[in-house]
Coordinates of all heavy atoms in Angstrom, one line a residue:
I1 N -71.1 13.3 77.8 CA -70.2 14.4 77.9 C -70.9 15.6 78.3 O -71.9 16.0 77.6 CB -69.4 14.6 76.6 CG1 -68.6 13.4 76.3 CG2 -68.5 15.9 76.7 CD1 -67.9 13.5 74.9
I2 N -70.5 16.3 79.4 CA -71.1 17.5 79.8 C -70.2 18.7 79.5 O -69.0 18.7 79.7 CB -71.3 17.5 81.4 CG1 -72.1 16.3 81.8 CG2 -71.8 18.8 81.9 CD1 -73.5 16.2 81.3
T3 N -70.8 19.7 78.8 CA -70.1 20.9 78.5 C -70.7 22.1 79.3 O -71.9 22.1 79.5 CB -70.1 21.3 77.0 OG1 -71.4 21.6 76.6 CG2 -69.5 20.1 76.2
A4 N -69.9 23.0 79.7 CA -70.3 24.3 80.4 C -69.3 25.3 80.2 O -68.1 25.0 79.8 CB -70.6 24.0 81.9
D5 N -69.6 26.6 80.5 CA -68.6 27.6 80.3 C -67.6 27.7 81.4 O -67.7 26.9 82.4 CB -69.3 29.0 80.1 CG -70.2 29.4 81.2 OD1 -70.0 28.9 82.4 OD2 -71.1 30.2 80.9
A6 N -66.7 28.6 81.4 CA -65.5 28.6 82.3 C -65.9 28.8 83.7 O -65.2 28.4 84.6 CB -64.6 29.7 81.8
L7 N -67.1 29.4 84.0 CA -67.6 29.6 85.3 C -67.6 28.3 86.1 O -67.4 28.2 87.3 CB -69.0 30.2 85.3 CG -69.7 30.4 86.6 CD1 -69.0 31.5 87.5 CD2 -71.1 30.8 86.4
H8 N -67.9 27.2 85.4 CA -68.1 25.9 86.0 C -66.8 25.0 86.1 O -66.8 23.9 86.5 CB -69.2 25.1 85.3 CG -70.5 25.8 85.3 ND1 -71.2 25.8 86.5 CD2 -71.1 26.5 84.4 CE1 -72.3 26.5 86.3 NE2 -72.3 26.9 85.0
T9 N -65.7 25.6 85.6 CA -64.4 24.9 85.6 C -63.8 25.0 87.0 O -63.1 25.9 87.3 CB -63.4 25.5 84.6 OG1 -64.1 25.5 83.3 CG2 -62.1 24.7 84.5
N10 N -64.1 24.0 87.8 CA -63.6 23.9 89.1 C -63.6 22.4 89.6 O -64.3 21.6 89.0 CB -64.3 24.8 90.1 CG -65.8 24.4 90.3 OD1 -66.1 23.3 90.9 ND2 -66.7 25.2 89.8
R11 N -62.8 22.1 90.5 CA -62.6 20.7 91.0 C -63.9 20.1 91.5 O -64.2 18.9 91.2 CB -61.5 20.6 92.0 CG -61.2 19.2 92.5 CD -60.0 19.2 93.4 NE -58.8 19.7 92.8 CZ -58.0 18.9 92.0 NH1 -58.3 17.7 91.7 NH2 -56.9 19.5 91.6
D12 N -64.7 20.8 92.2 CA -65.9 20.3 92.8 C -66.9 19.8 91.7 O -67.5 18.8 91.7 CB -66.6 21.2 93.7 CG -65.9 21.5 95.0 OD1 -65.0 20.6 95.4 OD2 -66.1 22.5 95.7
T13 N -67.1 20.7 90.7 CA -68.0 20.3 89.6 C -67.4 19.2 88.8 O -68.2 18.2 88.4 CB -68.2 21.6 88.7 OG1 -68.8 22.6 89.4 CG2 -69.0 21.2 87.5
A14 N -66.1 19.2 88.5 CA -65.5 18.1 87.7 C -65.7 16.8 88.4 O -66.0 15.7 87.9 CB -64.0 18.4 87.4
T15 N -65.4 16.8 89.7 CA -65.5 15.6 90.6 C -67.0 15.1 90.6 O -67.3 13.9 90.5 CB -65.0 15.8 92.0 OG1 -63.7 16.2 91.9 CG2 -65.2 14.6 92.9
Y16 N -67.9 16.0 90.7 CA -69.3 15.7 90.8 C -69.8 15.0 89.5 O -70.4 14.0 89.5 CB -70.2 16.9 91.0 CG -71.6 16.6 91.3 CD1 -72.0 16.2 92.6 CD2 -72.6 16.7 90.4 CE1 -73.3 15.9 92.9 CE2 -73.9 16.4 90.6 CZ -74.3 16.0 91.9 OH -75.6 15.7 92.2
I17 N -69.3 15.5 88.4 CA -69.7 14.9 87.1 C -69.1 13.5 86.9 O -69.8 12.6 86.5 CB -69.2 15.9 85.9 CG1 -70.0 17.2 85.9 CG2 -69.3 15.1 84.6 CD1 -69.5 18.2 85.0
T18 N -67.8 13.4 87.3 CA -67.2 12.0 87.1 C -67.8 11.0 88.1 O -67.9 9.9 87.8 CB -65.7 12.1 87.2 OG1 -65.3 12.7 88.5 CG2 -65.1 12.9 86.1
D19 N -68.2 11.5 89.3 CA -68.8 10.6 90.3 C -70.1 10.1 89.8 O -70.5 9.0 90.2 CB -69.0 11.4 91.7 CG -67.7 11.5 92.4 OD1 -66.7 10.9 92.0 OD2 -67.7 12.3 93.4
L20 N -70.8 10.9 89.0 CA -72.1 10.4 88.4 C -71.9 9.6 87.1 O -72.8 9.2 86.5 CB -73.0 11.6 88.1 CG -73.5 12.4 89.3 CD1 -74.3 13.6 88.8 CD2 -74.4 11.5 90.1
G21 N -70.6 9.4 86.8 CA -70.3 8.6 85.6 C -70.2 9.4 84.3 O -70.0 8.8 83.2
G22 N -70.3 10.7 84.4 CA -70.2 11.5 83.2 C -68.8 11.9 82.9 O -67.8 11.6 83.6
H23 N -68.6 12.5 81.7 CA -67.3 13.1 81.3 C -67.6 14.6 81.1 O -68.7 15.0 81.1 CB -66.9 12.5 79.9 CG -67.0 11.0 79.9 ND1 -65.9 10.2 80.4 CD2 -68.0 10.1 79.5 CE1 -66.3 8.9 80.2 NE2 -67.5 8.9 79.7
Y24 N -66.5 15.4 81.1 CA -66.7 16.8 80.9 C -65.8 17.4 79.9 O -64.7 16.9 79.7 CB -66.6 17.5 82.3 CG -65.3 17.3 83.0 CD1 -64.2 18.1 82.7 CD2 -65.2 16.3 83.9 CE1 -63.0 17.9 83.4 CE2 -64.0 16.1 84.6 CZ -62.9 16.9 84.3 OH -61.8 16.6 85.0
L25 N -66.2 18.5 79.4 CA -65.4 19.4 78.5 C -65.7 20.8 79.0 O -66.8 21.3 78.8 CB -65.8 19.2 77.0 CG -65.1 20.0 76.0 CD1 -63.6 19.7 76.0 CD2 -65.7 19.8 74.6
L26 N -64.7 21.3 79.7 CA -64.9 22.7 80.4 C -63.8 23.6 79.9 O -62.7 23.2 79.7 CB -64.8 22.5 81.9 CG -65.9 21.6 82.5 CD1 -65.5 21.4 84.0 CD2 -67.3 22.2 82.4
T27 N -64.2 24.8 79.7 CA -63.3 25.9 79.2 C -62.4 26.4 80.4 O -62.9 26.6 81.4 CB -64.1 27.1 78.6 OG1 -65.0 26.6 77.6 CG2 -63.2 28.2 78.1
V28 N -61.2 26.5 80.1 CA -60.2 27.0 81.1 C -59.9 28.4 80.8 O -59.3 28.7 79.7 CB -59.0 26.1 81.2 CG1 -58.0 26.7 82.2 CG2 -59.3 24.7 81.6
K29 N -60.2 29.3 81.7 CA -59.8 30.7 81.5 C -59.1 31.2 82.8 O -58.6 30.4 83.6 CB -61.1 31.6 81.3 CG -61.7 31.3 79.9 CD -62.8 32.3 79.6 CE -63.3 32.1 78.2 NZ -64.4 33.0 77.9
D30 N -59.0 32.5 83.0 CA -58.3 33.1 84.1 C -58.8 32.8 85.5 O -58.2 33.0 86.5 CB -58.1 34.6 83.9 CG -57.2 34.9 82.8 OD1 -56.4 34.1 82.4 OD2 -57.4 36.0 82.2
N31 N -60.1 32.2 85.6 CA -60.6 31.8 86.9 C -59.9 30.6 87.5 O -60.1 30.3 88.7 CB -62.1 31.6 86.8 CG -62.5 30.4 86.0 OD1 -61.9 30.2 84.9 ND2 -63.6 29.8 86.3
Q32 N -59.1 29.9 86.7 CA -58.3 28.8 87.2 C -56.8 29.0 86.7 O -56.3 28.4 85.8 CB -58.8 27.5 86.6 CG -60.2 27.1 87.1 CD -60.2 26.8 88.6 OE1 -59.2 26.2 89.1 NE2 -61.3 27.1 89.2
P33 N -56.1 30.0 87.4 CA -54.8 30.4 86.9 C -53.7 29.3 86.9 O -53.0 29.2 85.9 CB -54.4 31.5 87.8 CG -55.3 31.4 89.0 CD -56.5 30.8 88.6
K34 N -53.7 28.4 87.9 CA -52.7 27.3 87.9 C -53.0 26.3 86.8 O -52.0 25.9 86.1 CB -52.7 26.6 89.3 CG -52.1 27.5 90.4 CD -52.2 26.7 91.7 CE -51.7 27.6 92.8 NZ -51.8 26.8 94.1
L35 N -54.2 26.0 86.6 CA -54.6 25.0 85.6 C -54.3 25.6 84.2 O -53.7 24.9 83.3 CB -56.0 24.6 85.7 CG -56.6 23.6 84.6 CD1 -55.8 22.4 84.6 CD2 -58.0 23.4 84.9
R36 N -54.6 26.9 84.0 CA -54.4 27.5 82.7 C -52.9 27.6 82.4 O -52.4 27.3 81.3 CB -55.0 28.9 82.7 CG -54.9 29.5 81.3 CD -55.8 30.7 81.2 NE -55.8 31.0 79.8 CZ -56.0 32.2 79.3 NH1 -56.2 33.2 80.1 NH2 -56.0 32.5 78.0
K37 N -52.1 27.9 83.5 CA -50.6 27.9 83.3 C -50.1 26.6 82.9 O -49.2 26.4 82.0 CB -50.0 28.5 84.6 CG -48.5 28.7 84.5 CD -47.9 29.3 85.7 CE -46.4 29.5 85.6 NZ -45.9 30.0 86.9
A38 N -50.6 25.5 83.6 CA -50.1 24.1 83.3 C -50.5 23.7 81.9 O -49.7 23.1 81.2 CB -50.7 23.2 84.3
L39 N -51.7 24.1 81.4 CA -52.1 23.8 80.1 C -51.4 24.5 79.0 O -51.1 24.0 78.0 CB -53.6 24.0 79.9 CG -54.6 23.1 80.7 CD1 -56.0 23.6 80.6 CD2 -54.4 21.7 80.2
K40 N -51.0 25.8 79.3 CA -50.2 26.5 78.3 C -48.8 25.9 78.1 O -48.3 26.1 77.0 CB -50.1 28.0 78.8 CG -51.3 28.8 78.6 CD -51.0 30.3 79.0 CE -52.1 31.1 78.5 NZ -51.8 31.9 77.3
K41 N -48.3 25.2 79.1 CA -47.0 24.5 78.9 C -47.0 23.3 78.1 O -46.0 22.8 77.7 CB -46.5 24.2 80.3 CG -46.1 25.4 81.1 CD -45.5 24.9 82.5 CE -45.2 26.1 83.3 NZ -44.7 25.7 84.7
L42 N -48.2 22.8 77.7 CA -48.3 21.6 76.9 C -47.9 21.9 75.5 O -48.0 23.0 75.0 CB -49.7 21.0 77.0 CG -50.1 20.5 78.4 CD1 -51.6 20.1 78.4 CD2 -49.3 19.3 78.8
P43 N -47.4 20.9 74.7 CA -46.9 21.1 73.4 C -48.0 21.2 72.3 O -48.2 20.5 71.4 CB -46.1 19.8 73.1 CG -46.8 18.8 73.9 CD -47.3 19.5 75.2
W44 N -48.8 22.3 72.4 CA -50.0 22.5 71.6 C -49.6 22.6 70.1 O -50.3 22.3 69.2 CB -50.8 23.7 72.0 CG -51.4 23.5 73.3 CD1 -51.1 24.1 74.5 CD2 -52.5 22.6 73.6 NE1 -51.9 23.6 75.5 CE2 -52.8 22.7 75.0 CE3 -53.2 21.7 72.9 CZ2 -53.7 21.9 75.6 CZ3 -54.2 20.9 73.5 CH2 -54.4 21.0 74.9

């Protein structure tokens, strides 16, 4: 499992990690507005 701050929350980094067989835990903030909006709609 790879963790990094919100700066690294992007599709290219996530794809790169999974292509190498890794998993990721990345923070979602305002740099990914569509993803953040979709996550806010989940039944937290």
Side-chain angles (χ1 to χ4, degrees):
I1 297 173
I2 303 299
T3 65
D5 59 26
L7 175 69
H8 299 286
T9 304
N10 63 71
R11 185 173 297 277
D12 290 341
T13 298
T15 300
Y16 191 80
I17 291 168
T18 57
D19 286 350
L20 292 175
H23 310 276
Y24 57 85
L25 179 62
L26 300 169
T27 303
V28 177
K29 289 188 176 179
D30 291 334
N31 63 326
Q32 294 293 326
K34 288 181 184 177
L35 179 57
R36 187 163 193 213
K37 185 176 180 181
L39 290 173
K40 280 185 171 256
K41 290 180 182 178
L42 295 173
W44 294 111

